Amino acid sequence: SNTFRQIAIVIVAVAAITAAHLSTPRSYFLLHSVFQHLYYVPVILGAIFFGWPGGLLAAACTAMCYVPHIHHWQQTNPNYVLNQYAELFSFFLVGIVTGLLADRERRRAWQLEEKSVELERANRELASSFERAKHADRLAAVGQLAAGLAHEIRHPLASIEGAVNVLANPQSPSDLQEEFRGIITKECRRLAALLTQLLDFARPRRPTLRNVDPRLTISEVIRLAESSIPHNKVRIITDLPGGLPHIECDEEQLKQVVLNLVMNAVQAMPNGGSVTISARCDGTEFTVAVSDEGFGIPPDLQSRIVDPFFTTRESGTGLGLAVLKQIVRQHGGSIQVKRNATAGSSFVVRIPVHTREAP
């Protein structure tokens, strides 16, 4: 084992030095001085390996092996003998002091190892807690998704069921039957739109990036929006400076984002008002903002407005902004909402000028 190997190293070192020392002629004072100082090596090794007890035992063994050399000079050089006995005392002193220092370092190493084990255990517990939290979040998200989907499907199904009951009655007036056929068609379209939004949210299409002129793209969106809103109630104001650089993005998805934000702004102003669309570029980031003059979004709801199935409108599904958030995130950007100083809210979309698909 390792302990036996360390003991063997100390014994072999003492024996080798002693053999060389005793076999050297007494007239070679320089070599005797070298061997004398070499005895400190096994003493220090014993102290390092086994602490102060090991240093003490190694010093005792070394002293016993060194005593015969001292006896050779007992009659001829008494002063040298006294000096060598003092050297023996140094062996013990070095062994004990080195052993104490080694013990202290060993205790520190043990403490560090214990701290490392505790830290590793804490890291494992933290990782386990994090995984449990992620699992709980996923379950909560699935539950929220299921609850929202059930809520959104329940009303169209109830309308369709009522319409079917009316149509099943042969005595129902023809105009009433025509009205309820229209209800069925309308609610089926609503369900289809809901499922389309749900699929867009669950499996978002990865953007096809290419160089796009954002000023031209936003202008096309504005023309499309103006054809579907009442001009006498809502006015669209643009702030699109010339010289906007091309950006790398999916043009159709950029149109989808801006058009949805514009239509949301229009719906937020049932009494009419102005929708302002502005765009800026600072060299590395492209920003487009859509502002309305509606009632605004309360500060406590701003962080939830892009959550799936969260909506402040009775007829909304709550998936539109969630889909837009995913589109913007896949472009490496962000979408934020803030309350305007006077009235209404502003949605601000930021994407890098040179983007890459998000992982």
Side-chain angles (χ1 to χ4, degrees), residues 21 24 28-40 66 69 80 84 87:
H21 193 197
T24 302
Y28 291 3
F29 292 105
L30 180 58
L31 283 177
H32 283 290
S33 177
V34 171
F35 293 137
Q36 170 188 333
H37 291 89
L38 282 177
Y39 275 121
Y40 285 103
Y66 192 65
H69 169 73
Y80 176 75
Q84 295 307 299
E87 192 73 25

Side-chain angles (χ1 to χ4, degrees), residues 178-295:
E178 185 65 27
E179 177 185 352
F180 279 92
R181 287 193 191 97
I183 291 177
I184 291 176
T185 302
K186 175 184 175 183
E187 296 301 335
C188 286
R189 289 174 179 172
R190 179 180 173 186
L191 287 174
L194 173 63
L195 292 177
T196 299
Q197 286 187 324
L198 182 63
L199 289 175
D200 289 340
F201 173 75
R203 295 184 301 178
R205 179 178 67 83
R206 299 186 71 82
T208 303
L209 304 179
R210 64 185 185 89
N211 286 329
V212 173
D213 183 349
R215 195 170 188 272
L216 180 61
T217 300
I218 295 175
S219 298
E220 293 178 2
V221 171
I222 293 172
R223 287 194 296 270
L224 182 61
E226 286 177 339
S227 64
S228 58
I229 61 176
H231 294 277
N232 59 338
K233 296 182 62 177
V234 177
R235 183 166 60 103
I236 296 181
I237 302 173
T238 60
D239 181 11
L240 306 175
L244 285 175
H246 286 207
I247 63 175
E248 193 178 27
C249 70
D250 187 308
E251 184 175 18
E252 293 304 318
Q253 288 187 341
L254 178 60
K255 288 181 180 179
Q256 179 182 352
V257 170
V258 178
L259 180 60
N260 275 268
L261 292 180
V262 171
M263 299 311 296
N264 284 348
V266 172
Q267 294 173 1
M269 300 184 300
N271 299 324
S274 298
V275 176
T276 303
I277 306 173
S278 61
R280 295 291 184 272
C281 185
D282 63 1
T284 60
E285 189 176 63
F286 173 75
T287 302
V288 58
V290 178
S291 305
D292 61 65
E293 296 178 339
F295 297 107

Side-chain angles (χ1 to χ4, degrees), residues 47-350:
I48 292 174
F49 290 155
F50 307 105
W52 70 265
L56 186 61
L57 287 175
C61 293
T62 301
M64 288 188 295
C65 293
Y66 192 65
V67 165
H69 169 73
I70 298 176
H71 285 171
H72 284 300
W73 298 92
Q74 188 72 40
Q75 301 297 328
T76 58
N77 196 339
N79 291 330
Y80 176 75
V81 170
L82 292 175
N83 182 65
Q84 295 307 299
Y85 277 120
E87 192 73 25
L88 294 181
F89 174 76
S90 298
F91 290 163
F92 287 97
L93 182 61
V94 169
I96 294 174
V97 172
T98 305
L100 291 174
L101 293 176
D103 286 340
R104 186 177 67 176
E105 292 303 317
R106 194 173 289 109
R107 284 194 298 270
R108 287 181 178 177
W110 287 339
Q111 291 173 355
L112 288 176
E113 186 176 356
E114 290 178 355
K115 294 294 183 182
S116 177
V117 171
E118 292 178 1
L119 183 59
E120 184 178 356
R121 183 170 59 250
N123 285 335
R124 287 197 302 267
E125 293 176 355
L126 181 61
S128 177
S129 299
F130 181 67
E131 288 300 324
R132 288 196 297 269
K134 285 174 58 180
H135 183 65
D137 287 342
R138 287 193 293 267
L139 290 179
V142 171
Q144 181 184 9
L145 188 65
L149 186 60
H151 176 75
E152 292 300 327
I153 291 178
R154 180 184 297 116
H155 296 294
L157 288 180
S159 299
I160 292 173
E161 181 183 10
V164 169
N165 290 334
V166 171
L167 294 175
N169 185 0
Q171 299 179 356
S172 298
S174 58
D175 57 343
L176 187 62
Q177 290 185 359
E178 185 65 27
E179 177 185 352
F180 279 92
R181 287 193 191 97
I183 291 177
I184 291 176
T185 302
K186 175 184 175 183
E187 296 301 335
C188 286
R189 289 174 179 172
R190 179 180 173 186
L191 287 174
L194 173 63
L195 292 177
T196 299
Q197 286 187 324
L198 182 63
L199 289 175
D200 289 340
F201 173 75
R203 295 184 301 178
R205 179 178 67 83
R206 299 186 71 82
T208 303
L209 304 179
R210 64 185 185 89
N211 286 329
V212 173
D213 183 349
R215 195 170 188 272
L216 180 61
T217 300
I218 295 175
S219 298
E220 293 178 2
V221 171
I222 293 172
R223 287 194 296 270
L224 182 61
E226 286 177 339
S227 64
S228 58
I229 61 176
H231 294 277
N232 59 338
K233 296 182 62 177
V234 177
R235 183 166 60 103
I236 296 181
I237 302 173
T238 60
D239 181 11
L240 306 175
L244 285 175
H246 286 207
I247 63 175
E248 193 178 27
C249 70
D250 187 308
E251 184 175 18
E252 293 304 318
Q253 288 187 341
L254 178 60
K255 288 181 180 179
Q256 179 182 352
V257 170
V258 178
L259 180 60
N260 275 268
L261 292 180
V262 171
M263 299 311 296
N264 284 348
V266 172
Q267 294 173 1
M269 300 184 300
N271 299 324
S274 298
V275 176
T276 303
I277 306 173
S278 61
R280 295 291 184 272
C281 185
D282 63 1
T284 60
E285 189 176 63
F286 173 75
T287 302
V288 58
V290 178
S291 305
D292 61 65
E293 296 178 339
F295 297 107
I297 301 173
D300 59 325
L301 300 181
Q302 290 180 5
S303 61
R304 301 179 55 198
I305 196 66
V306 294
D307 290 346
F309 293 110
F310 180 82
T311 180
T312 56
R313 301 197 309 268
E314 292 183 0
S315 59
T317 63
L319 284 174
L321 289 175
V323 172
L324 299 188
K325 178 183 177 181
Q326 285 192 335
I327 292 175
V328 174
R329 186 178 61 184
Q330 288 192 124
H331 281 76
S334 63
I335 181 170
Q336 296 176 327
V337 59
K338 60 182 181 179
R339 192 178 181 89
N340 297 333
T342 53
S345 300
S346 295
F347 283 84
V348 182
V349 175
R350 295 182 176 88

